[in-house]
Amino acid sequence: MATKVQLAQRPEADELLGRSPLAALVGMLLDQQIPMEWAFSGPYTIAQRLGADDLDAHEIAACDPERFAALLSEKPAVHRYPGSMAKRVQQLCQYLVEHYDGDAEKVWKDAGSGKELFKRLNGLPGFGKQKAQIFLALLGKQYGVRPEGWREAAGAYGEEGSHRSVADITGPESLAKVRAFKQEMKAAAKAGK
């Protein structure tokens, strides 16, 4: 899968995200209520704390929940809510072990259409419609995973040239554009209330 991405804006974390399907999925899972770069640096931090150069769904799924929560809580914490996110990461890994032999790439590898891929992503623990669409757009735009109809299935996140989400981040400049877009959306939502 080895792809060059700049989601975490940290070379070592981005290198892991570029070669590890599970790291990319976990980064997306962590991407809520914290800055995107922090979320996508999380998989690298977790792998380091596990003493590994990649994440292993079988190992994480089997890990003692208290030990795993403590691992994510160490300073600096992997997430603002390390305990609940540790539980979510383990649920995701348990699901991947049960349904995909622990191989995250199998979620998208043989998806026959964008619609099918969206359905698979939307079925993952911790992934709702929006997160599934953003990850689908990320796969299509940056990882070359483009089953027929992927842009449509990703909704507005699949639009070419947009700066709506992590799917559009290719460096510091695009990160700033995505941030600006998110701030505009928040302001518009606030004004609409």
Side-chain angles (χ1 to χ4, degrees):
M1 174 170 138
T3 304
K4 186 159 176 41
V5 294
Q6 293 186 32
L7 307 174
Q9 307 284 304
R10 284 179 56 205
E12 63 283 3
D14 283 328
E15 188 275 330
L16 176 63
L17 294 167
R19 68 177 162 82
S20 170
L22 181 56
L25 262 185
V26 169
M28 189 73 228
L29 180 70
L30 295 172
D31 187 15
Q32 59 191 46
Q33 299 175 312
I34 60 171
M36 292 171 281
E37 316 87 296
W38 185 11
F40 282 91
S41 292
Y44 177 76
T45 305
I46 294 168
Q48 277 207 307
R49 290 177 184 174
L50 287 170
D53 67 350
D54 195 357
L55 299 179
D56 180 320
H58 293 278
E59 180 185 357
I60 293 170
C63 200
D64 173 69
E66 283 180 21
R67 180 179 165 255
F68 194 66
L71 197 91
L72 269 68
S73 300
E74 275 177 37
K75 300 268 184 268
V78 169
H79 195 277
R80 179 180 289 154
Y81 305 107
S84 62
M85 290 317 282
K87 189 176 176 181
R88 286 196 171 167
V89 170
Q90 283 197 290
Q91 288 168 338
L92 174 64
C93 288
Q94 287 158 354
Y95 184 90
L96 291 171
V97 166
E98 264 173 55
H99 299 270
Y100 296 99
D101 301 320
D103 183 353
E105 193 174 17
K106 284 185 178 178
V107 174
W108 54 85
K109 200 169 190 171
D110 63 350
S113 68
K115 215 178 218 169
E116 183 186 338
L117 180 49
F118 168 75
K119 194 175 161 197
R120 289 180 185 186
L121 292 169
N122 198 33
L124 295 173
F127 278 65
K129 179 183 181 204
Q130 186 181 30
K131 199 175 277 281
Q133 284 185 315
I134 292 170
F135 195 74
L136 178 53
L138 177 63
L139 286 172
K141 289 178 176 183
Q142 297 201 40
Y143 289 93
V145 176
R146 301 182 178 118
E148 195 176 325
W150 73 270
R151 281 192 192 276
E152 295 75 15
Y157 300 105
E159 289 172 10
E160 186 127 25
S162 67
H163 288 94
R164 293 177 180 274
S165 72
V166 69
D168 304 307
I169 296 172
T170 54
E173 193 180 305
S174 53
L175 173 64
K177 288 181 182 175
V178 169
R179 276 241 156 74
F181 176 81
K182 287 181 174 244
Q183 285 165 346
E184 281 171 34
M185 292 295 98
K186 276 185 183 157
K190 221 176 199 175
K193 279 185 180 171

